[in-house]
Amino acid sequence: EPDVTIVSGLKDMVVFEGDDVTFRCQVSHENARDIEWKLQDVALQNNEMNEISVENRKIHTLTLRKVTEQDIGTITFRVGPHTSTA
């Protein structure tokens, strides 16, 4: 299986409290496995507040819904040994 790398990393975002924010990270291969999203070193799960999805098979997205001050911090996307932060 080919090594999946990050083609286009995360970008820093500034949002207002109560708004949604979406982070995108493009990887080199479709159907990448071993993907992880974190906020301040806490792994995020797909639920009503965090929407984790894949667009066009290579662009992994994380949408944080109705952000609060507690959501301030570093977002990390990891695929295998590669990471991107914002």
Side-chain angles (χ1 to χ4, degrees):
E1 191 170 298
D3 187 30
V4 178
T5 59
I6 295 172
V7 175
S8 175
L10 300 176
K11 293 179 176 37
D12 291 342
M13 305 291 278
V14 176
V15 293
F16 292 102
E17 192 167 16
D19 287 352
D20 296 350
V21 61
T22 299
F23 295 91
R24 289 181 174 80
C25 202
Q26 183 175 348
V27 297
S28 58
H29 294 79
E30 296 179 2
N31 305 319
R33 301 176 196 273
D34 196 21
I35 301 287
E36 185 176 48
W37 288 96
K38 288 184 176 181
L39 172 58
Q40 294 293 70
D41 288 330
V42 176
L44 299 175
Q45 304 299 321
N46 195 19
N47 58 36
E48 66 278 352
M49 296 306 292
N50 311 315
E51 181 183 326
I52 297 170
S53 62
V54 181
E55 300 172 355
N56 301 329
R57 300 186 184 185
K58 292 184 183 180
I59 300 172
H60 293 259
T61 65
L62 166 67
T63 300
L64 302 179
R65 304 251 182 246
K66 297 181 176 60
V67 296
T68 66
E69 279 189 33
Q70 286 75 39
D71 295 318
I72 292 173
T74 302
I75 292 286
T76 304
F77 172 83
R78 181 186 62 77
V79 56
H82 307 285
T83 60
S84 178
T85 59

